[in-house]
Amino acid sequence: MILTTHQPIFLPWPGFFAKAMRADVMVLLDAVQFPVGRGWMNRNRLKSAHGDLWLTVPVHRKGRGKQTIGAMELFEASDWRRTHLRGIRQHYAHAPFLSDYWSRIEAIYRRGNRYLLEFNLALIRLMYESLGIGARLCLQSELGVVGTGTRLLVDLCETTGTDTYLALPQSVKYLESPRFRDAGVDLRFLAFEPPVYPQLWGEFRYNLSMLDLLLCHGSKSPDIIKTGLRP
């Protein structure tokens, strides 16, 4: 049984879902510290006629010190929800599959979630289900496992009864291989090359949100992701 993990980022890129396709369980790390500085937890890229279309979800940070990802509250001082929806609607108006997903995207944005985790998770589940991924999706907090680094990952494997941990190659420098070996967990790395596919607005841009692929290719998206997976 294979376990993989990832932070519950906003509108993940295709590699996030490629990991899930090769796993039996995907754990979203919501009980770890919210990253300092800019990151992918609350911002990501789509595409527009003028280049990257950056969407940022405002969160409460000032004066709150270190917070876990699950504790991050949305900041509603601006009408960012309407801005996001307008941007997606405008720049993907000619996407072949916008109508297939629009009502569900709009419904998620209009729910009025209090926490970033709830909002991100709803979007992740939409994309996860649209891709037909069978791996069990769960939260770290639901499993009651806390910690950091390799120790956390090993404990998650033990808690879920999995014997293999699947990681992206970029994370190799952060992982302590002996700890996996001592715990009887096989450490594997995902061989994935982000696929090139027809996009709107000219020249291809790598590693956009998965939403770009879904809106452009709909039910063909899983097969497109699989072209980037290597044995």
Side-chain angles (χ1 to χ4, degrees):
M1 295 258 306
I2 300 173
L3 170 80
T4 193
T5 63
H6 209 291
Q7 293 178 338
I9 61 177
F10 172 57
L11 293 177
W13 66 299
F16 175 103
F17 298 98
K19 285 202 301 180
M21 286 179 172
R22 284 287 172 88
D24 298 292
V25 182
M26 176 177 244
V27 177
L28 299 179
L29 304 176
D30 63 321
V32 299
Q33 184 181 327
F34 188 88
V36 176
R38 284 189 170 186
W40 302 103
M41 283 305 310
N42 63 322
R43 63 196 295 266
N44 218 318
R45 296 180 308 144
L46 290 170
K47 196 176 182 185
S48 79
H50 311 291
D52 291 338
L53 173 63
W54 281 100
L55 300 180
T56 300
V57 181
V59 293
H60 283 283
R61 302 182 73 167
K62 188 175 181 180
R64 298 198 176 193
K66 295 180 180 180
Q67 302 180 75
T68 63
I69 290 171
M72 297 300 296
E73 292 187 57
L74 298 171
F75 186 56
E76 304 291 357
S78 65
D79 198 356
W80 61 270
R81 296 172 190 268
R82 180 180 296 180
T83 300
H84 285 203
L85 289 172
R86 184 172 61 241
I88 296 170
R89 186 84 178 189
Q90 175 184 345
H91 296 290
Y92 286 85
H94 299 294
F97 297 93
L98 176 65
S99 60
D100 290 20
Y101 301 98
W102 179 250
S103 62
R104 285 177 284 174
I105 294 169
E106 189 175 35
I108 291 170
Y109 268 87
R110 299 200 184 285
R111 280 180 194 171
N113 296 118
R114 177 180 175 185
Y115 293 97
L116 176 67
L117 174 63
E118 297 169 338
F119 179 65
N120 284 359
L121 183 58
L123 290 168
I124 288 170
R125 287 193 184 281
L126 167 61
M127 292 182 276
Y128 205 88
E129 292 164 6
S130 298
L131 294 169
I133 296 174
R136 179 162 65 98
L137 184 67
C138 57
L139 296 174
Q140 174 194 352
S141 58
E142 294 173 339
L143 299 173
V145 179
V146 296
T148 58
T150 300
R151 181 71 263 166
L152 169 62
L153 305 179
V154 169
D155 287 347
L156 286 171
C157 288
E158 293 176 345
T159 299
T160 56
T162 50
D163 56 15
T164 302
Y165 182 75
L166 181 65
L168 291 172
Q170 302 93 297
S171 64
V172 64
K173 59 186 176 182
Y174 304 109
L175 300 175
E176 300 174 65
S177 300
R179 284 202 171 193
F180 286 100
R181 185 174 59 250
D182 292 347
V185 176
D186 183 22
L187 175 60
R188 296 183 189 173
F189 293 95
L190 180 74
F192 178 69
E193 296 178 11
V196 176
Y197 57 90
Q199 294 175 336
L200 299 176
W201 310 119
E203 185 177 336
F204 181 80
R205 289 180 179 267
Y206 280 94
N207 296 333
L208 297 180
S209 164
M210 180 67 218
L211 188 58
D212 178 82
L213 177 54
L214 278 176
L215 297 184
C216 290
H217 294 281
S219 62
K220 295 180 181 178
S221 299
D223 291 333
I224 292 173
I225 292 176
K226 288 174 185 175
T227 64
L229 290 168
R230 300 292 179 263

